[in-house]
Amino acid sequence: MSARHESEGRRPFTRLAALAGAGILALGLVACSSTGGRPQGSADGGGGGTVDTPRLTVAMITHEVPGDSFWDLIRKGAEAAARKDNIELRYSNDPEAPAQANLVQSAIDSGVDGIAVTLAKPDAMAPAVKAALDKGIPVVAFNSGFDNWKSMGVQQYFGQDEKLAGISAGEKLTADGAKKVVCVIQEQGQASLESRCAGVRQGFKGASEILNVNSKDMPSVEATITAKLQQDPSIDHVVALGAPIALTAVQSAGNAGSTAKIVTFDTNAALVDAIKGGQVQWAVDQQPYLQGYLAIDSLWLYLNNKNLIGGGQATLTGPSFIDPSNIDAVAELAKAGTR
């Protein structure tokens, strides 16, 4: 491992310490706000109370692909923080970068107090982000844009280093005895997905290939993976980059009569069941609920107390692995819709 990646490998511990400190501060502010500090009412899933700080409006704008329940976890975390923090949360999404940028501009025009945004296509999002910052609206990024958020002037980032996560997955595949893998990218040109597969290829000691599919047409995804496995029986592992693709790959392996094992990045309730049932071997978890929660809570901390989390660096929420060793504990949380 290079010095660069040794440094990256230490980041989660640094970020954890920063996050722990921020969590303590957040609890302190909940207990003692600028208007008297007594929590009022209950916040369903939001941490036991609602602060009595002034009502704020925050827009969360993502590149969510319709039908991908991964985003339900992000939104649930954001909603929990919003309830606790007395925030009106305005959630919107569009998988097309120009349309997502237009949603950011609409949020600016509506006069929101803060914006939390994903940066799957950084170049397309940069002008809209700059427009928000020029208006004095604080912007945090999460989930995607690890390599670009700081250069865009964004204050804080919550997510995982996708390249590092890919390297970790590649190393795990090597340890599992894999010899040839295919990494399935469901949206060509999406920076986070490209980084994941690049990391897998770097960390894996065997042979690897990239397979591009179109996640907007799931029957074609199934057919494309099936055809690949039929054409190349030497593929022993399929690396999916999202739970819906992984579950589709399970079907494809069956259709192809392939013994290839399925591993993936990201989870949802169905994927957790698939790990428990042995159809999927493991998943790289970036904790989407935590990303949504921290994105909103960090804006509340900044707007009320000018706090910044992470010391100018990304706050890492992953990677970690969900596999048979810990699936039972995670499965209970997945039923509640938070993992």
Side-chain angles (χ1 to χ4, degrees):
M1 182 178 290
S2 69
R4 175 177 179 267
H5 288 122
E6 285 177 357
S7 176
E8 288 175 335
R10 290 193 294 267
R11 284 181 184 172
F13 300 99
T14 303
R15 303 301 162 259
L16 185 59
L19 181 56
I24 293 169
L25 178 56
L27 290 173
L29 287 172
V30 168
C32 187
S33 78
S34 61
T35 55
R38 180 177 52 83
Q40 57 186 356
S42 65
D44 180 21
T50 302
V51 298
D52 56 357
T53 48
R55 183 75 164 170
L56 298 169
T57 301
V58 170
M60 172 171 273
I61 303 159
T62 78
H63 65 282
E64 173 184 347
V65 177
D68 187 346
S69 55
F70 170 86
W71 295 96
D72 295 341
L73 301 175
I74 282 181
R75 188 168 182 175
K76 205 158 199 176
E79 289 171 344
R83 284 191 296 270
K84 177 180 71 68
D85 293 340
N86 192 26
I87 285 174
E88 177 190 342
L89 179 66
R90 297 178 182 174
Y91 183 95
S92 60
N93 61 279
D94 199 295
E96 301 298 331
Q100 187 192 7
N102 287 338
L103 291 174
V104 173
Q105 186 60 54
S106 295
I108 296 169
D109 295 340
S110 71
V112 297
D113 297 298
I115 294 175
V117 66
T118 59
L119 302 172
K121 302 285 179 65
D123 290 344
M125 295 299 295
V129 169
K130 183 177 185 301
L133 297 173
D134 287 347
K135 287 283 189 179
I137 300 172
V139 178
V140 302
F142 65 99
N143 180 261
S144 57
F146 177 86
D147 293 322
N148 305 91
W149 67 277
K150 193 181 292 188
S151 64
M152 294 169 67
V154 172
Q155 287 183 318
Q156 302 172 81
Y157 181 86
F158 305 97
Q160 68 182 0
D161 179 338
E162 301 291 5
K163 182 75 173 291
L164 180 61
I167 291 170
S168 299
E171 292 171 345
K172 185 168 177 60
L173 285 163
T174 300
D176 289 347
K179 302 299 182 186
K180 185 170 186 179
V181 306
V182 59
C183 191
V184 182
I185 296 179
Q186 68 263 30
E187 184 182 349
Q188 197 168 0
Q190 213 264 53
S192 295
L193 302 182
E194 301 279 358
S195 292
R196 288 178 180 182
C197 279
V200 168
R201 298 186 80 169
Q202 183 174 329
F204 180 53
K205 300 304 182 186
S208 62
E209 294 184 26
I210 303 294
L211 181 65
N212 288 295
V213 298
N214 179 9
S215 62
K216 296 176 184 176
D217 184 357
M218 293 305 287
S220 77
V221 172
E222 182 178 343
T224 302
I225 298 175
T226 298
K228 183 64 178 178
L229 294 175
Q230 288 173 334
Q231 293 165 7
D232 189 352
S234 68
I235 295 172
D236 54 30
H237 282 73
V238 176
V239 182
L241 303 185
I245 305 299
L247 296 171
T248 299
V250 170
Q251 297 176 343
S252 295
N255 295 342
S258 171
T259 59
K261 296 178 179 179
I262 313 302
V263 301
T264 191
F265 288 71
D266 299 339
T267 63
N268 60 21
L271 193 282
V272 168
D273 288 342
I275 294 176
K276 197 166 187 179
Q279 292 89 11
V280 175
Q281 303 304 300
W282 45 261
V284 180
D285 182 26
Q286 61 176 304
Q287 301 188 95
Y289 179 94
L290 184 60
Q291 290 176 8
Y293 187 97
L294 291 177
I296 300 306
D297 204 38
S298 67
L299 284 167
W300 179 82
L301 283 164
Y302 180 77
L303 288 164
N304 281 283
N305 207 48
K306 294 297 181 284
N307 294 120
L308 294 171
I309 301 173
Q313 302 298 320
T315 300
L316 300 185
T317 64
S320 61
F321 288 95
I322 296 176
D323 58 26
S325 70
N326 59 8
I327 193 62
D328 288 339
V330 173
E332 289 302 311
L333 297 169
K335 289 178 183 177
T338 60
R339 290 298 292 269

